[in-house]
Amino acid sequence: MATERPELYTCLDDRFRTGRCMNGDDALEVLYTGCRWAEGPIYLPAWRQLIWSDIPNDRMLRWDEATDTVSVFRSPAGHTNGNTLDRQGRLITCEQGNRRVTRTEHDGTLTVLADRWQGKRLNSPNDATVKSDGSIWFSDPDFGITSDYEGYRAESEIGSNNVYRIDPATGEVRLVADCFAAPNGLVFSPDERQLFVSDTRGGAIRVFDVHPDGDSLSDGEVFAKADAEGVARFDNLRFDDGGRLWVAAMADGVHCYDPDGTLIGRLNVPETVSNISWGGAKRNRLFITAETSLYSLVMAVTGTHPTGPGRRPWLDAS
């Protein structure tokens, strides 16, 4: 199954072309279809596998690169949404249904990293990103408690939708930003001086300066706005090594923004795009979850690593 090249790439600014963003595969590859709503792809280099979430079906799936096969990784899974890796290569997962952030240890056991803030239950953690100091930052909108479709209907104990930080030494959960209608995807800039957060209901991507202490933020400014017609709504975010921001823009495919905030191009996907993630041996394979399916596209640009700069003993050569 594939799409023709003229339908795959839309160049809106010549920087999309000159930056090699249109080079690579001529068509999307369909790796799997059969989900109810797919999200949270993360590539595990050590195993050459991709883990992602099928939220309404309450399962996590696993695609094996070597055999091109898909199997169930975990079920039930707590209506998981976003997944990432920590500095030790362990899986960090946002569980909407269980209203918590967990870590899968190397022996397969689960450790709860966060389920409350100031004694109140979290809403439904959605996405997480790991800073090079080991701290875990996550968004906590109410998507998983507004109905029984992606979690369990409940009232918010906190009363707002926020972004939090988990201290790597103490495990303290601290609120770092509370100015969203519904925070969703988040990612640090490659130099970790800024944090980018999508606000799905707010129709914008906001950028926050990270203070010199490394664990607090300035007031966020708008980096990009969704279109007024509501076709593009922002979900998760990923950087490439050229400083461009790639965004899952739902019905408007995958957006690519220049560092100055200009929308320079688009990848057109036949389903509503939920999440994206870089992977493969060279980190130039873009994985896309969209409604019922998992797609991939090998490109001429390379994605940054989800755990930030610096050496990772489990991945980097000695």
Side-chain angles (χ1 to χ4, degrees), residues 86 134 210 296 313:
D86 72 2
V210 180
S296 80

Side-chain angles (χ1 to χ4, degrees), residues 17 83 92 173 212 222 232 295 308:
R17 192 185 311 277
N83 298 283
I92 304 298
V173 178
V222 172
Y295 300 88

Side-chain angles (χ1 to χ4, degrees), residues 211-284:
H211 287 162
D213 60 16
D215 62 2
S216 60
L217 305 174
S218 68
D219 293 336
E221 298 181 354
V222 172
F223 175 79
K225 289 185 178 181
D227 60 273
E229 292 76 21
V231 176
R233 291 186 296 141
F234 300 134
D235 205 301
N236 89 321
L237 322 164
R238 292 289 185 267
F239 275 99
D240 69 21
D241 62 0
R244 292 171 291 256
L245 184 67
W246 296 78
V247 181
M250 297 195 177
D252 208 36
V254 178
H255 285 188
C256 179
Y257 291 89
D258 189 75
D260 69 4
T262 303
L263 176 61
I264 60 174
R266 181 187 300 115
L267 302 178
N268 301 303
V269 180
E271 297 183 86
T272 300
V273 176
S274 58
N275 281 185
I276 56 175
S277 182
W278 299 102
K282 299 178 181 178
R283 298 204 64 77
N284 67 334

